[in-house]
Every structure is written in structure tokens, then in C-alpha cells.
Amino acid sequence: MADRNADRASGGGASLTASLTIDGERVPFAPGETILQVARRAGAWIPTLCYDPRLEPAGACRTCLVEIDGWRRLAPACATPAAADMVVTTRSDRIARHHKTLLSLYMTDHVADRDACETGAPCELHALADRVGAATDWPRMEPVRAGRPDDRNAFIEFRPDRCILCARCTRYCAEVEAVSAITLAGRGSHTTITTADAASLVDTTCEMCGGCIDTCPTGAMTEKIPLREHAPPDRLLDKVRTTCNYCGVGCQLDLNVDRAAHGGRGRVVKVTSPPPGTPPNDGNLCVKGRFAYQFIEHPDRLTRPLVRDAGGSLRETSWEDALARAAAGLRGVADRHGADALGFVSSSRCTMEENYLMQKLARAVFGTNNVHQCAAT
Ligand code: SF4
Ligand code: SF4
Ligand code: FES
């Protein structure tokens, strides 16, 4: 955990007490930082696949290998602590050969066509393979990893043909969510991501946070709803950053909007989390923030003010009329029975400013302290 915090600090807060050399440049670092953290702060390009700054380094994918003077083998930058006076090389013919060979191997049992692979989130493996010029003509191996086709959970789909066994999902589940609902199982090319007894996620300790989807670099863990609805891939969606309105934490999230849907009115296709490091939620979301967005299009949702007519039936009206009717009703109760006959109940789904205005309305306008909000209990 100390390492990850040092990553976030990146020179801001942690004291940079020693230095090493990266690609000929002298770079200071703080105790506990890895070569990757120091190199990225210095602007060096080191590709990664199994690295997530929220997780302890695993050194699993071997994408981030660098040369260190005096070391016979290439070393994983994500899992190697920086040391004083180390001399690190991130760009060389040897490293370029390594990138090309490694990513060509990864691609041999990965969905070959990039568009077919990226039906949802972008695939970091495809992006890296393109960037380093990985071979596309190597003999293919059909993936034999087992999926969980009968998992009846409503939200999360595992697509084994896209999995590269980086274990970001299982580590996220254990280290961030602390529930260990999913695990690596099997041997060799049959190794896969599964649950105890291959049970549905709803029969495990899974909290449906969707963090395994968020951290997955290839879209192997993905959302079921956009798949079922044949939503456009992420690259065709607009991301609109907003604040979750389910509770008072104020998590940041991105609405993924298909602008062309509904005759140009647009439609929220899914919710994703901003990158790790984005406060206050560091790229994490709960089940409500990530998956409970379909109320936006629900036909029962109230989108216009309603008032009761003389017969007691609800009918649409203007905001002016609705507010005037509410004000007259509240004032009438206060006049007849006194202000303490009124009670004002607000919601943690409102903003802080709206809650402030509600108590102001109760106290300053009507003169009662009968005001409450659900987050207060
Ligand atoms: S949704 Fe959250 S709790 Fe469930 S398997 Fe994924 S990371 Fe673990
Ligand atoms: S499902 Fe995704 S995050 Fe999990 S091991 Fe496979 S590629 Fe990595
Ligand atoms: S990112 Fe370093 S080994 Fe995977």
C-alpha cells in the first residue's frame, strides 16, 4: 500500500531523497517507489498490462521489462524497487525485440480483429500490439480457457477469449474490494478466472462493484447490459463526467452516451469510472453508481410536475403552478395548525446545496426545526 501511495504522490508530498539514472537522465525518487513509478514521472514510455496503481505489483505480464546495468536479465519495472544510483534503460533494440515477441505471442490466442475484440471497452493489448508492430501472421492457438456461460448475475460477463491472465480482476477483488469472489484456477493454457465451484457471482461474496470490469485491460470482464442491447463500442460513445447522486460521498463517474440514440436525444449506454487517482473515489464505484443507471429511461420516472385535479387525479402542469400549489398547501397547514405541524424531509440524493436550502426553507421561511435528511440516521 505504501508503494501505491508513493505512486500517487509522484514527487508531491513524498520526499525525493535519492536518485537513479533513466535513459541517461538523473531522476530523484522517494523510498518505496518502483522503477515504473519513477520512470513515468520522468516521462519515459514503459508499456504495462498487469499494472494498476491501486494494486500491489504482480509482475505477471512481463510487458514492462527494462534493462538495468549489471543485471543479466531484463527486470519488470512495475515490481522492481528503485535503488540509488541504478542505471536503467527503457529504450533499446533488446527491449524493442522483447516487446514485439511478447505481444505477438499474446495475440496468438486473442481475438485477432481489433474491431471484433473491442465491442465494449478499448483493448489495451491490441493498442500495444499495434504500437510495437507485433506480428499478425503467427500461427493461431484457439483459446481453451473456460468461461462461466451460466452465470445468472445481471451485470458482469466474463469473456475468456479476451483474457490475458493478468490477474488485475482477482487482485482488485481481493485488495480493493476485500471479498475475493473470483480467483485464478486451472493450469497452463486452461488457467482461467472463476469462482468457487464455478458458481454464479450472485452465489459468492461478490458485491457487484464492477471493479473487475474497470481494471480489466482487454474487456474480458465486461458489462452485460450494453452487450445484450448491442450498444455501440466505447470508441463511439461520448463520456460525460458527473457526480453520482446515490449518496453523499460524491463519487465521480462517467456517463457513456450514445448521442445518436432516440433520434438524437441521446441515451446513457453504461457508466464507467474515471481513471485511478481521480478523487474522491479513485476509480472505484459501488453497485448503485456503476449499474443502477437504467432509471434514467424508466417510463415511471417523473420528469414533469404533476398536481391533483378536483377529482383527485394527477395531471401535468407547469413548474410555476406546481410550486405555487405546494407553497399554498404548506402555508395553509402552518396558518391553521402552527409551523411545527410541518415536517421537511430531504434526501441524500440531493446535493449539499439543495439540502442546505431545504433546512433554510424549514427554519427561516416557515419557522420550524422539523427537518431531516435520510443520511442523518
Ligand atoms: S464485481 Fe467487485 S466484488 Fe464482484 S467479482 Fe468483481 S471486483 Fe469482485
Ligand atoms: S479477466 Fe481481464 S483483468 Fe481478469 S485476468 Fe483476464 S484480462 Fe486480466
Ligand atoms: S506491468 Fe509489469 S509485469 Fe505486468
Side-chain angles (χ1 to χ4, degrees), residues 48-51 59-62 64 78:
T48 57
L49 285 170
C50 70
Y51 175 74
C61 73
R62 317 311 282 177
C64 66
C78 70

Side-chain angles (χ1 to χ4, degrees), residues 36 40 46-52 57-65 76-79 106 166 171:
L36 180 69
R40 285 196 166 167
I46 298 179
T48 57
L49 285 170
C50 70
Y51 175 74
D52 179 326
C61 73
R62 317 311 282 177
T63 316
C64 66
L65 300 193
C78 70
Y106 270 124
C166 66
R171 288 182 289 134

Side-chain angles (χ1 to χ4, degrees), residues 5 49 61 75 78 97 103 112 120 162 167 180-181 189 204 240 253 258 263 279 292 329 333 339 356 362 369 371:
N5 289 337
L49 285 170
C61 73
C78 70
R97 268 198 317 277
L103 291 162
R162 288 160 173 83
S180 299
S189 54
T204 68
V240 180
L253 50 79
D258 176 6
V333 171
Y356 173 81
N369 287 324
V371 59

Side-chain angles (χ1 to χ4, degrees), residues 274-293:
T278 309
N281 46 313
D282 198 18
N284 308 309
L285 286 173
C286 76
V287 60
K288 292 187 292 181
R290 193 181 298 277
F291 294 120
Y293 56 87

Side-chain angles (χ1 to χ4, degrees), residues 127-267:
L128 279 183
D130 286 356
R131 177 164 177 166
V132 306
T136 54
D137 56 351
W138 284 21
R140 282 201 57 76
M141 290 171 52
E142 287 318 309
V144 291
R145 271 183 282 288
R148 292 193 305 284
D150 298 328
D151 189 337
R152 65 187 190 285
N153 88 80
F155 301 123
I156 300 171
E157 178 88 12
F158 171 54
R159 301 185 289 184
D161 56 346
R162 288 160 173 83
C163 179
I164 57 169
L165 298 177
C166 66
R168 274 164 67 164
C169 54
T170 54
R171 288 182 289 134
Y172 182 96
C173 195
E175 295 175 28
V176 177
E177 207 59 18
V179 297
S180 299
I182 50 177
T183 184
L184 287 158
R187 299 177 73 89
S189 54
H190 289 271
T191 309
T192 191
I193 305 298
T194 190
T195 58
D197 293 332
S200 165
L201 281 176
V202 292
D203 295 322
T204 68
T205 49
C206 173
E207 296 180 344
M208 288 291 153
C209 67
C212 47
I213 296 174
D214 171 65
T215 192
C216 179
T218 61
M221 288 284 176
T222 193
E223 292 88 346
K224 278 187 174 174
I225 297 170
L227 271 188
R228 194 170 59 231
E229 296 178 344
H230 304 290
D234 287 20
R235 65 178 177 280
L236 301 180
L237 302 174
D238 285 349
K239 280 193 195 299
V240 180
R241 178 72 46 86
T242 189
T243 303
C244 179
N245 65 353
Y246 271 114
C247 80
V249 172
C251 289
Q252 295 300 286
L253 50 79
D254 290 332
L255 302 177
N256 288 244
V257 181
D258 176 6
R259 294 274 182 205
H262 296 325
R265 183 168 65 82
R267 184 172 79 93

